[in-house]
């Protein structure tokens, strides 16, 4: 999956980002072209985490409870959670972060 820098508008793969920094729920990346730091907006980062939890919790509950009438609703809930997480990553807006480099 390619990520586009919000400043220079160039697309990069995840392997091209040499410097990353975790700041709470946000993962900041440094653009290899222009050197600016950017990340997903905070709302999209939280939506992504909520989607991942919506994928993980029903999936684990489905495994733990075994066969029964709850399988289809839990499978649908985990599918919807995965869709929310994927949508937040694909359609989330990237913003430039003002951050100093620590050398």
């Amino acid at each position: 999956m390619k990520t586009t820098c919000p400043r220079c508008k160039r697309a990069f793969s995840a392997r091209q980002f040499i410097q990353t920094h975790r700041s709470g729920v946000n993962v900041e990346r440094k653009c290899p072209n222009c050197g600016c730091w950017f990340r997903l907006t905070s709302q999209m980062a939280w939506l992504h985490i909520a989607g991942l939890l919506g994928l993980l919790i029903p999936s684990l509950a489905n495994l733990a409870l075994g066969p029964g009438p709850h399988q289809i609703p839990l499978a649908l809930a985990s599918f919807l959670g995965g869709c929310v997480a994927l949508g937040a990553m694909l359609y989330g807006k990237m913003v430039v972060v003002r951050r100093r480099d620590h050398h």
Side-chain angles (χ1 to χ4, degrees), residues 6-81:
R7 187 170 170 199
C8 66
K9 306 296 186 220
R10 291 194 59 195
F12 301 98
S13 68
R15 292 183 183 186
Q16 290 177 304
F17 292 109
I18 297 170
Q19 291 181 319
T20 60
H21 179 260
R22 183 168 291 278
S23 172
V25 297
N26 298 311
V27 176
E28 299 172 356
R29 296 177 179 102
K30 186 175 183 178
C31 177
N33 184 44
C34 67
C36 78
W37 287 88
F38 62 94
R39 63 175 171 84
L40 275 174
T41 60
S42 293
Q43 295 87 1
M44 283 296 149
W46 282 107
L47 188 63
H48 180 248
I49 289 173
L52 288 176
L53 288 174
L55 171 69
L56 180 67
I57 292 171
S59 296
L60 291 175
N62 211 355
L63 286 173
L65 295 174
H70 60 281
Q71 279 184 317
I72 292 177
L74 286 175
L76 285 174
S78 61
F79 176 74
L80 289 175

